[in-house]
Amino acid sequence: LYLSRTFPGETIVSVLGIRHAESPGRSKTPVSKIDSKLQRANGTNGILWHPAVHISTPAVYDYHREHGLELHEAYEVY
């Protein structure tokens, strides 16, 4: 993986904006977990962090509107 080669011996935190309300498959996603795909013998480790898992859909719209942010196409197309 690119990240493990670029940051050998480091802890890599991947931040993903998935939410429980998006699908049944995501409904049980923890806020964080070890990303075993990034673990290497040289000490490289990975963590997946999902800080938005508990945010409601209306709160997503409110936040984007308040801050003038464009919504991801998943909210507008699908």
Side-chain angles (χ1 to χ4, degrees):
L1 267 168
Y2 171 80
L3 290 174
S4 59
R5 285 192 303 260
T6 305
F7 303 103
E10 300 291 333
T11 298
I12 300 162
V13 180
S14 297
V15 182
L16 302 172
I18 66 172
R19 299 179 310 103
H20 287 163
E22 291 174 332
S23 72
R26 293 181 174 180
S27 68
K28 299 198 184 335
T29 300
V31 172
S32 66
K33 66 180 180 178
I34 299 296
D35 185 353
S36 59
K37 294 177 186 176
L38 293 174
Q39 291 181 318
R40 300 290 185 270
N42 67 2
T44 305
N45 292 295
I47 298 171
L48 290 171
W49 183 35
H50 309 290
V53 292
H54 301 296
I55 297 175
S56 68
T57 301
V60 170
Y61 285 104
D62 290 345
Y63 187 88
H64 281 76
R65 186 177 59 255
E66 289 169 15
H67 297 279
L69 300 172
E70 195 172 313
L71 282 168
H72 185 277
E73 70 178 49
Y75 288 95
E76 299 180 321
V77 177
Y78 306 106

PDB file of all heavy atoms in Angstrom, residues 43-63:
ATOM      1  N   GLY A  43       6.641  -1.763  12.164  1.00  0.00           N
ATOM      2  CA  GLY A  43       5.973  -0.915  13.153  1.00  0.00           C
ATOM      3  C   GLY A  43       4.884  -0.019  12.590  1.00  0.00           C
ATOM      4  O   GLY A  43       4.246   0.723  13.337  1.00  0.00           O
ATOM      5  N   THR A  44       4.664  -0.077  11.295  1.00  0.00           N
ATOM      6  CA  THR A  44       3.589   0.710  10.705  1.00  0.00           C
ATOM      7  C   THR A  44       2.249   0.149  11.171  1.00  0.00           C
ATOM      8  O   THR A  44       2.048  -1.056  11.178  1.00  0.00           O
ATOM      9  CB  THR A  44       3.661   0.663   9.162  1.00  0.00           C
ATOM     10  OG1 THR A  44       4.955   1.082   8.747  1.00  0.00           O
ATOM     11  CG2 THR A  44       2.602   1.559   8.543  1.00  0.00           C
ATOM     12  N   ASN A  45       1.360   1.030  11.602  1.00  0.00           N
ATOM     13  CA  ASN A  45       0.028   0.641  12.058  1.00  0.00           C
ATOM     14  C   ASN A  45      -1.007   1.544  11.408  1.00  0.00           C
ATOM     15  O   ASN A  45      -0.690   2.634  10.952  1.00  0.00           O
ATOM     16  CB  ASN A  45      -0.091   0.790  13.583  1.00  0.00           C
ATOM     17  CG  ASN A  45       0.763  -0.202  14.312  1.00  0.00           C
ATOM     18  OD1 ASN A  45       0.529  -1.394  14.226  1.00  0.00           O
ATOM     19  ND2 ASN A  45       1.779   0.282  15.002  1.00  0.00           N
ATOM     20  N   GLY A  46      -2.241   1.098  11.412  1.00  0.00           N
ATOM     21  CA  GLY A  46      -3.309   1.908  10.863  1.00  0.00           C
ATOM     22  C   GLY A  46      -4.541   1.894  11.735  1.00  0.00           C
ATOM     23  O   GLY A  46      -4.829   0.909  12.413  1.00  0.00           O
ATOM     24  N   ILE A  47      -5.234   3.006  11.727  1.00  0.00           N
ATOM     25  CA  ILE A  47      -6.491   3.148  12.452  1.00  0.00           C
ATOM     26  C   ILE A  47      -7.512   3.749  11.489  1.00  0.00           C
ATOM     27  O   ILE A  47      -7.215   4.714  10.783  1.00  0.00           O
ATOM     28  CB  ILE A  47      -6.345   4.085  13.670  1.00  0.00           C
ATOM     29  CG1 ILE A  47      -5.328   3.510  14.667  1.00  0.00           C
ATOM     30  CG2 ILE A  47      -7.693   4.326  14.342  1.00  0.00           C
ATOM     31  CD1 ILE A  47      -4.961   4.477  15.775  1.00  0.00           C
ATOM     32  N   LEU A  48      -8.701   3.176  11.454  1.00  0.00           N
ATOM     33  CA  LEU A  48      -9.820   3.765  10.722  1.00  0.00           C
ATOM     34  C   LEU A  48     -10.642   4.560  11.724  1.00  0.00           C
ATOM     35  O   LEU A  48     -11.045   4.043  12.763  1.00  0.00           O
ATOM     36  CB  LEU A  48     -10.688   2.676  10.095  1.00  0.00           C
ATOM     37  CG  LEU A  48     -10.078   1.919   8.929  1.00  0.00           C
ATOM     38  CD1 LEU A  48     -10.954   0.727   8.565  1.00  0.00           C
ATOM     39  CD2 LEU A  48      -9.901   2.830   7.736  1.00  0.00           C
ATOM     40  N   TRP A  49     -10.897   5.815  11.437  1.00  0.00           N
ATOM     41  CA  TRP A  49     -11.653   6.685  12.337  1.00  0.00           C
ATOM     42  C   TRP A  49     -12.865   7.206  11.582  1.00  0.00           C
ATOM     43  O   TRP A  49     -12.745   7.758  10.492  1.00  0.00           O
ATOM     44  CB  TRP A  49     -10.777   7.827  12.816  1.00  0.00           C
ATOM     45  CG  TRP A  49     -11.427   8.755  13.798  1.00  0.00           C
ATOM     46  CD1 TRP A  49     -12.326   8.429  14.765  1.00  0.00           C
ATOM     47  CD2 TRP A  49     -11.208  10.155  13.898  1.00  0.00           C
ATOM     48  NE1 TRP A  49     -12.690   9.544  15.475  1.00  0.00           N
ATOM     49  CE2 TRP A  49     -12.011  10.625  14.965  1.00  0.00           C
ATOM     50  CE3 TRP A  49     -10.416  11.056  13.199  1.00  0.00           C
ATOM     51  CZ2 TRP A  49     -12.041  11.945  15.335  1.00  0.00           C
ATOM     52  CZ3 TRP A  49     -10.454  12.388  13.577  1.00  0.00           C
ATOM     53  CH2 TRP A  49     -11.243  12.826  14.644  1.00  0.00           C
ATOM     54  N   HIS A  50     -14.045   6.993  12.168  1.00  0.00           N
ATOM     55  CA  HIS A  50     -15.317   7.408  11.583  1.00  0.00           C
ATOM     56  C   HIS A  50     -15.996   8.387  12.542  1.00  0.00           C
ATOM     57  O   HIS A  50     -16.941   8.037  13.248  1.00  0.00           O
ATOM     58  CB  HIS A  50     -16.222   6.192  11.364  1.00  0.00           C
ATOM     59  CG  HIS A  50     -15.571   5.068  10.640  1.00  0.00           C
ATOM     60  ND1 HIS A  50     -15.242   5.129   9.314  1.00  0.00           N
ATOM     61  CD2 HIS A  50     -15.181   3.841  11.054  1.00  0.00           C
ATOM     62  CE1 HIS A  50     -14.693   3.993   8.935  1.00  0.00           C
ATOM     63  NE2 HIS A  50     -14.630   3.197   9.975  1.00  0.00           N
ATOM     64  N   PRO A  51     -15.541   9.643  12.578  1.00  0.00           N
ATOM     65  CA  PRO A  51     -16.060  10.580  13.574  1.00  0.00           C
ATOM     66  C   PRO A  51     -17.510  11.000  13.376  1.00  0.00           C
ATOM     67  O   PRO A  51     -18.122  11.542  14.289  1.00  0.00           O
ATOM     68  CB  PRO A  51     -15.125  11.793  13.437  1.00  0.00           C
ATOM     69  CG  PRO A  51     -14.641  11.723  12.029  1.00  0.00           C
ATOM     70  CD  PRO A  51     -14.536  10.252  11.711  1.00  0.00           C
ATOM     71  N   ALA A  52     -18.085  10.727  12.200  1.00  0.00           N
ATOM     72  CA  ALA A  52     -19.444  11.201  11.912  1.00  0.00           C
ATOM     73  C   ALA A  52     -20.504  10.106  12.016  1.00  0.00           C
ATOM     74  O   ALA A  52     -21.644  10.341  11.640  1.00  0.00           O
ATOM     75  CB  ALA A  52     -19.479  11.818  10.519  1.00  0.00           C
ATOM     76  N   VAL A  53     -20.159   8.930  12.551  1.00  0.00           N
ATOM     77  CA  VAL A  53     -21.115   7.814  12.511  1.00  0.00           C
ATOM     78  C   VAL A  53     -22.449   8.127  13.187  1.00  0.00           C
ATOM     79  O   VAL A  53     -23.476   7.611  12.776  1.00  0.00           O
ATOM     80  CB  VAL A  53     -20.534   6.492  13.092  1.00  0.00           C
ATOM     81  CG1 VAL A  53     -19.455   5.940  12.213  1.00  0.00           C
ATOM     82  CG2 VAL A  53     -20.088   6.656  14.515  1.00  0.00           C
ATOM     83  N   HIS A  54     -22.448   8.985  14.183  1.00  0.00           N
ATOM     84  CA  HIS A  54     -23.690   9.257  14.933  1.00  0.00           C
ATOM     85  C   HIS A  54     -24.443  10.491  14.440  1.00  0.00           C
ATOM     86  O   HIS A  54     -25.486  10.833  14.994  1.00  0.00           O
ATOM     87  CB  HIS A  54     -23.376   9.412  16.422  1.00  0.00           C
ATOM     88  CG  HIS A  54     -22.741   8.205  17.019  1.00  0.00           C
ATOM     89  ND1 HIS A  54     -23.383   6.988  17.097  1.00  0.00           N
ATOM     90  CD2 HIS A  54     -21.516   8.002  17.533  1.00  0.00           C
ATOM     91  CE1 HIS A  54     -22.586   6.100  17.646  1.00  0.00           C
ATOM     92  NE2 HIS A  54     -21.438   6.688  17.917  1.00  0.00           N
ATOM     93  N   ILE A  55     -23.940  11.150  13.412  1.00  0.00           N
ATOM     94  CA  ILE A  55     -24.587  12.372  12.915  1.00  0.00           C
ATOM     95  C   ILE A  55     -25.809  12.005  12.073  1.00  0.00           C
ATOM     96  O   ILE A  55     -25.746  11.142  11.204  1.00  0.00           O
ATOM     97  CB  ILE A  55     -23.589  13.219  12.103  1.00  0.00           C
ATOM     98  CG1 ILE A  55     -22.454  13.678  13.021  1.00  0.00           C
ATOM     99  CG2 ILE A  55     -24.282  14.410  11.467  1.00  0.00           C
ATOM    100  CD1 ILE A  55     -21.355  14.426  12.303  1.00  0.00           C
ATOM    101  N   SER A  56     -26.906  12.684  12.324  1.00  0.00           N
ATOM    102  CA  SER A  56     -28.146  12.400  11.593  1.00  0.00           C
ATOM    103  C   SER A  56     -28.110  13.027  10.198  1.00  0.00           C
ATOM    104  O   SER A  56     -27.348  13.977   9.939  1.00  0.00           O
ATOM    105  CB  SER A  56     -29.348  12.959  12.355  1.00  0.00           C
ATOM    106  OG  SER A  56     -29.310  14.375  12.332  1.00  0.00           O
ATOM    107  N   THR A  57     -28.950  12.543   9.318  1.00  0.00           N
ATOM    108  CA  THR A  57     -29.030  13.098   7.960  1.00  0.00           C
ATOM    109  C   THR A  57     -29.442  14.567   7.979  1.00  0.00           C
ATOM    110  O   THR A  57     -28.815  15.383   7.294  1.00  0.00           O
ATOM    111  CB  THR A  57     -29.976  12.253   7.090  1.00  0.00           C
ATOM    112  OG1 THR A  57     -29.476  10.909   7.054  1.00  0.00           O
ATOM    113  CG2 THR A  57     -30.066  12.803   5.668  1.00  0.00           C
ATOM    114  N   PRO A  58     -30.466  14.960   8.765  1.00  0.00           N
ATOM    115  CA  PRO A  58     -30.797  16.397   8.814  1.00  0.00           C
ATOM    116  C   PRO A  58     -29.624  17.251   9.300  1.00  0.00           C
ATOM    117  O   PRO A  58     -29.419  18.360   8.808  1.00  0.00           O
ATOM    118  CB  PRO A  58     -31.967  16.465   9.793  1.00  0.00           C
ATOM    119  CG  PRO A  58     -32.601  15.111   9.719  1.00  0.00           C
ATOM    120  CD  PRO A  58     -31.447  14.158   9.517  1.00  0.00           C
ATOM    121  N   ALA A  59     -28.824  16.725  10.217  1.00  0.00           N
ATOM    122  CA  ALA A  59     -27.667  17.476  10.713  1.00  0.00           C
ATOM    123  C   ALA A  59     -26.618  17.661   9.622  1.00  0.00           C
ATOM    124  O   ALA A  59     -25.940  18.689   9.572  1.00  0.00           O
ATOM    125  CB  ALA A  59     -27.061  16.779  11.927  1.00  0.00           C
ATOM    126  N   VAL A  60     -26.489  16.685   8.736  1.00  0.00           N
ATOM    127  CA  VAL A  60     -25.566  16.810   7.595  1.00  0.00           C
ATOM    128  C   VAL A  60     -26.003  17.969   6.707  1.00  0.00           C
ATOM    129  O   VAL A  60     -25.201  18.834   6.347  1.00  0.00           O
ATOM    130  CB  VAL A  60     -25.503  15.495   6.780  1.00  0.00           C
ATOM    131  CG1 VAL A  60     -24.748  15.708   5.467  1.00  0.00           C
ATOM    132  CG2 VAL A  60     -24.863  14.385   7.589  1.00  0.00           C
ATOM    133  N   TYR A  61     -27.287  18.008   6.368  1.00  0.00           N
ATOM    134  CA  TYR A  61     -27.813  19.093   5.536  1.00  0.00           C
ATOM    135  C   TYR A  61     -27.644  20.454   6.223  1.00  0.00           C
ATOM    136  O   TYR A  61     -27.243  21.424   5.591  1.00  0.00           O
ATOM    137  CB  TYR A  61     -29.290  18.855   5.196  1.00  0.00           C
ATOM    138  CG  TYR A  61     -29.498  17.803   4.149  1.00  0.00           C
ATOM    139  CD1 TYR A  61     -29.934  16.531   4.487  1.00  0.00           C
ATOM    140  CD2 TYR A  61     -29.260  18.075   2.802  1.00  0.00           C
ATOM    141  CE1 TYR A  61     -30.126  15.548   3.519  1.00  0.00           C
ATOM    142  CE2 TYR A  61     -29.456  17.108   1.826  1.00  0.00           C
ATOM    143  CZ  TYR A  61     -29.893  15.852   2.194  1.00  0.00           C
ATOM    144  OH  TYR A  61     -30.079  14.897   1.231  1.00  0.00           O
ATOM    145  N   ASP A  62     -27.949  20.504   7.509  1.00  0.00           N
ATOM    146  CA  ASP A  62     -27.818  21.755   8.261  1.00  0.00           C
ATOM    147  C   ASP A  62     -26.378  22.251   8.252  1.00  0.00           C
ATOM    148  O   ASP A  62     -26.124  23.436   8.024  1.00  0.00           O
ATOM    149  CB  ASP A  62     -28.279  21.573   9.713  1.00  0.00           C
ATOM    150  CG  ASP A  62     -29.771  21.386   9.850  1.00  0.00           C
ATOM    151  OD1 ASP A  62     -30.513  21.672   8.884  1.00  0.00           O
ATOM    152  OD2 ASP A  62     -30.197  20.923  10.927  1.00  0.00           O
ATOM    153  N   TYR A  63     -25.439  21.363   8.512  1.00  0.00           N
ATOM    154  CA  TYR A  63     -24.028  21.738   8.573  1.00  0.00           C
ATOM    155  C   TYR A  63     -23.559  22.280   7.226  1.00  0.00           C
ATOM    156  O   TYR A  63     -22.896  23.318   7.166  1.00  0.00           O
ATOM    157  CB  TYR A  63     -23.169  20.548   8.992  1.00  0.00           C
ATOM    158  CG  TYR A  63     -21.732  20.919   9.229  1.00  0.00           C
ATOM    159  CD1 TYR A  63     -21.316  21.355  10.483  1.00  0.00           C
ATOM    160  CD2 TYR A  63     -20.793  20.859   8.211  1.00  0.00           C
ATOM    161  CE1 TYR A  63     -20.003  21.711  10.710  1.00  0.00           C
ATOM    162  CE2 TYR A  63     -19.478  21.219   8.424  1.00  0.00           C
ATOM    163  CZ  TYR A  63     -19.084  21.642   9.678  1.00  0.00           C
ATOM    164  OH  TYR A  63     -17.782  22.010   9.901  1.00  0.00           O
TER     165      TYR A  63
END
